[in-house]
């Protein structure tokens, strides 16, 4: 203990000295009376020095703790095992257990005086509190003396869990939903909202119909037709957010597109895809996924604009690993263990956060475990871990204090076999092996009839994502996909900024056999045609008199700024640009837009 005090003094952090200095002379006298040390004079510093010498004696804290009565020891033990973050309910319960005639005021006094209110005026337990909230050096000694809280969670019957307002089960069998959603995004102009960057309502409805996943509808929506925005859904919003966060998807010019990791993602088996999304989720910041805001019971004000959830999620995963696989876990018992062990850590990791009082319309209440961290944990488990298939979960709906905000609270969860693999509880997952197939780089066949055949294999999705951007599918199932290579597809590719040279190189590099000669000739002809007709938007100088026009061209200043003289061109109205392009392509000629 003496070493601890000396170390803190060297660091300029003698919190015991600070705690004692904050007491009045009367309070110091009371501590001195409990400790049986009395100063001869009346000076405050003399009294503080005597108490510091008392605390510095070897084994002081342990002697105080061992000398407490049963109730006092239980309360101090509860505080230490709760990382000095015990709730008023817990302490009041302990006090009433040992004091049948518990004073009703003790519970309410806790909020102003902490656990000190549960001890008599001259209780030796007050020596451990030292007039403050357990100075750090005393905390360290108590943590050394008192054994840690055992990590145990209550199990719940499945019938009780299934009676909740919201139940999300079976996502482990729907892990291909992410791959299917990626196909949808790639072949459809799915739009993003300007305000939130989330998928638009109309696009989400199409996605829901295309993928066919089971949705949890929040609020009063009740069905896909009743949603106001993507935030009224649980699964749909999470599918998109998780892929955006992992850069499998991106947003370009208000539309969803393939992200930089889409190709690698497409080459993975379904479980590996989930692992990729899961790993990215565990280290995310608040730029795409923001658990606190997605399921907020109140409005929050953050000191920092950008922060990471990595530490918070690593703690959450740590305690999920301690849960048994299979049984339903009571969420309240999980929250209790997490609060006692790690309460305050999530708030500290995200920075200073204030809670808005809806009645006063001001931000002044500091965030804590109950009013902030529980909502972050519930959102992480229900909206992300469960959607990834790591958990089955059940939740109930709740309202904020003045019923201005609606949120969900998890009632219980169970870890799936997939979740055990993701969390590292199990070493392997029985479906984690990739689908057997030929080499990733050579997994398609180009037929002389202009069909591209893509058989099953690890590269099938990657090839499908590539050709879906500009070619029409003739057929597709789990075993094989067939695309039609034609003029229409080449025109669409050019419109999307692709070059036919790139398409030719892709086919030659990915085909298991040589590309047929008639296909090569067609591609070469399309390449040549693609450069012959251009539609430009330009500014021109006109003159009615051809001689005057020649004179203008020879002006020195005009020659300096003249880019080109139009010799083979047609003037059209600017409103007819798309009509002209369509007419040109109708006659099987490419027309490329150029910006001058």
């Amino acid at each position: 203990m003496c070493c601890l005090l000396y170390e803190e003094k060297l660091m300029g952090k003698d919190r015991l000295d600070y705690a004692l200095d904050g007491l009045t002379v009367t309070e110091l006298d009371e501590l001195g009376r409990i400790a049986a040390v009395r100063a001869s004079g009346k000076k405050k510093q003399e009294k503080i020095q005597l108490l510091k010498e008392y605390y510095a004696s070897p084994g002081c804290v342990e002697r105080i703790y061992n000398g407490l009565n049963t109730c006092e020891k239980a309360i101090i033990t509860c505080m230490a095992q709760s990382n000095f973050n015990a709730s008023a309910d817990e302490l009041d319960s302990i006090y009433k257990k040992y004091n049948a005639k518990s004073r009703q005021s003790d519970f309410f006094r806790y909020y102003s005086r902490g656990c000190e209110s549960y001890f008599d005026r001259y209780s030796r337990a007050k020596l451990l509190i030292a007039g403050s909230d357990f100075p750090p050096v005393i905390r360290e000694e108590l943590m050394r003396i008192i054994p840690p809280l055992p990590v145990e969670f209550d199990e719940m019957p499945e019938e009780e869990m299934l009676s909740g307002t919201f139940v999300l089960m079976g996502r482990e069998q729907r892990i291909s939903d992410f791959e299917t959603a990626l196909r949808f995004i790639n072949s459809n102009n799915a739009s993003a909202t300007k305000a939130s960057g989330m998928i638009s309502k109309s696009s989400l409805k199409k996605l829901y119909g295309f993928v066919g996943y089971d949705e949890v509808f929040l609020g009063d929506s009740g069905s896909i037709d009743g949603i106001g925005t993507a935030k009224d859904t649980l699964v749909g919003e999470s599918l998109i957010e998780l892929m955006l966060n992992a850069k499998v998807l991106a947003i370009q010019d208000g539309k969803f597109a393939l992200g930089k990791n889409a190709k690698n993602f497409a080459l993975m088996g379904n479980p590996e895809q989930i692992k990729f999304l899961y790993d990215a989720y565990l280290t995310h910041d608040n730029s795409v996924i923001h658990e606190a805001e997605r399921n907020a019971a109140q409005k929050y004000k953050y000191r920092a604009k950008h922060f990471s959830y990595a530490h918070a999620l690593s703690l959450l995963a740590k305690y999920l690993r301690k849960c048994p696989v299979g049984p339903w876990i009571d969420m309240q018992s999980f929250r209790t263990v997490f609060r006692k062990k790690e309460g305050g850590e999530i708030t500290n990791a995200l920075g200073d956060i204030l809670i808005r009082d809806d009645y006063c319309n001001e931000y002044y209440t500091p965030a804590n475990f109950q009013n902030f961290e529980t909502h972050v944990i519930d959102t992480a488990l229900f909206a992300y871990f469960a959607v990834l298939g790591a958990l089955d979960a059940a939740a109930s709906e709740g309202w904020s204090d003045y019923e201005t905000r609606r949120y969900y609270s998890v009632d219980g969860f169970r870890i799936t076999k997939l979740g055990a693999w993701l969390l590292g509880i199990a070493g392997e997952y029985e479906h984690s092996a990739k689908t057997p197939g030929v080499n990733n780089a050579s997994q398609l066949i180009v037929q002389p009839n202009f069909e591209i055949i893509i058989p099953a294999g690890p590269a099938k999705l990657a090839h499908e994502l590539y050709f879906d951007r500009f070619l029409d599918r003739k057929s597709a199932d789990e075993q094989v996909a067939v695309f039609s290579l034609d003029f229409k597809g080449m025109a669409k590719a050019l419109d999307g900024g692709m070059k036919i040279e790139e398409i030719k190189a892709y086919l030659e590099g990915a085909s298991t056999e040589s590309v047929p000669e008639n296909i090569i000739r067609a591609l070469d002809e399309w390449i040549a045609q693609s450069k012959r007709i251009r539609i430009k938007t330009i500014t021109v100088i006109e003159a009615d008199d051809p001689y005057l026009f020649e004179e203008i061209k020879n002006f020195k200043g005009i020659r300096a700024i003249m880019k080109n003289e139009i010799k083979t061109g047609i003037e059209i109205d600017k409103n007819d640009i798309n009509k002209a392009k369509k007419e040109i392509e109708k006659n099987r000629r490419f027309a490329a837009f150029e910006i001058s």
Side-chain angles (χ1 to χ4, degrees), residues 213-491:
Y213 53 83
D214 292 329
E215 184 59 272
V216 174
F217 297 102
L218 307 173
D220 296 324
S221 55
S223 69
I224 192 66
D225 293 324
I227 66 171
T229 68
K231 291 188 178 298
D232 291 334
T233 67
L234 184 85
V235 179
E237 183 175 4
S238 295
L239 286 174
I240 299 299
E241 283 190 342
L242 286 164
M243 288 195 287
L244 277 173
N245 176 67
K247 294 180 172 54
V248 175
L249 290 179
I251 298 176
Q252 298 174 359
D253 300 323
K255 301 288 184 180
F256 282 93
L258 299 185
K260 68 177 185 178
N261 293 329
K263 184 176 181 180
N264 290 336
F265 182 82
L267 293 172
M268 301 174 188
N270 288 148
E272 285 76 22
Q273 290 173 346
I274 299 299
K275 184 69 163 62
F276 181 79
L277 297 174
Y278 171 78
D279 290 341
Y281 171 68
L282 286 187
T283 57
H284 79 84
D285 59 17
N286 64 322
S287 58
V288 175
I289 298 175
H290 198 344
E291 285 88 344
E293 289 301 308
R294 182 164 179 189
N295 183 37
Q298 285 115 347
K299 287 187 177 180
Y300 306 118
K301 187 175 184 179
Y302 309 88
R303 180 182 293 275
K305 290 185 178 180
H306 303 287
F307 45 80
S308 172
Y309 276 92
H311 180 62
L313 293 173
S314 68
L315 291 175
L316 187 55
K318 171 185 173 182
Y319 286 93
L320 286 174
R321 292 187 197 102
K322 299 177 185 294
C323 297
V325 177
W328 283 90
I329 304 300
D330 175 46
M331 189 61 193
Q332 188 55 48
S333 69
F334 185 86
R335 289 193 197 97
T336 298
V337 170
F338 192 94
R339 176 180 55 76
K340 288 187 173 185
K341 293 286 189 178
E342 310 292 348
E345 283 298 309
I346 293 178
T347 305
N348 293 338
L350 303 187
D352 294 336
I353 302 167
L354 294 177
I355 310 294
R356 178 177 178 268
D357 186 303
D358 289 337
Y359 183 79
C360 299
N361 197 25
E362 290 184 6
Y363 292 90
Y364 58 80
T365 306
N368 57 36
F369 185 86
Q370 190 60 38
N371 63 20
F372 180 76
E373 295 185 14
T374 55
H375 301 297
V376 172
I377 293 170
D378 286 2
T379 309
L381 294 184
F382 199 44
Y384 300 103
F385 280 87
V387 171
L388 283 166
L391 309 173
D392 290 334
S396 298
E397 191 173 58
W399 287 88
S400 60
D401 290 342
Y402 298 100
E403 297 190 355
T404 56
R405 299 173 74 87
R406 184 182 274 174
Y407 63 94
Y408 53 80
S409 177
V410 175
D411 300 323
F413 65 87
R414 66 179 174 190
I415 298 175
T416 63
K417 290 182 180 179
L418 176 62
W421 177 62
L422 292 173
L423 290 163
I425 300 171
E428 57 184 35
Y429 183 59
E430 59 182 3
H431 297 110
S432 62
K434 289 185 179 180
T435 305
V438 295
N439 185 276
N440 290 348
S442 56
Q443 206 177 349
L444 60 84
I445 301 168
V446 183
Q447 300 276 52
N449 65 352
F450 287 81
E451 286 185 351
I452 300 172
I453 299 174
I454 307 172
K460 180 173 180 284
L461 176 61
H463 293 319
E464 287 180 293
L465 292 178
Y466 182 79
F467 293 117
D468 265 333
R469 294 159 65 187
F470 57 95
L471 295 183
D472 290 333
R473 283 176 180 253
K474 293 189 67 176
S475 63
D477 54 38
E478 291 184 1
Q479 297 304 315
V480 66
V482 181
F483 291 86
S484 180
L485 186 66
D486 55 19
F487 176 86
K488 178 184 174 183
M490 296 301 101

Side-chain angles (χ1 to χ4, degrees), residues 481-542:
V482 181
F483 291 86
S484 180
L485 186 66
D486 55 19
F487 176 86
K488 178 184 174 183
M490 296 301 101
K492 188 175 180 181
L494 290 172
D495 290 345
M498 301 177 71
K499 294 182 178 180
I500 300 178
E501 293 95 323
E502 296 172 359
I503 298 170
K504 178 184 176 183
Y506 188 94
L507 290 171
E508 290 177 326
S511 179
T512 57
E513 301 173 4
S514 298
V515 178
E517 290 185 8
N518 67 314
I519 303 298
I520 294 295
R521 286 195 300 271
L523 287 167
D524 288 339
E525 184 179 344
W526 287 335
I527 290 170
Q529 287 185 13
S530 67
K531 301 175 181 177
R532 295 175 64 183
I533 302 174
R534 294 166 298 281
I535 300 175
K536 295 184 176 182
T537 302
I538 60 175
T539 301
V540 299
I541 298 175
E542 291 183 329

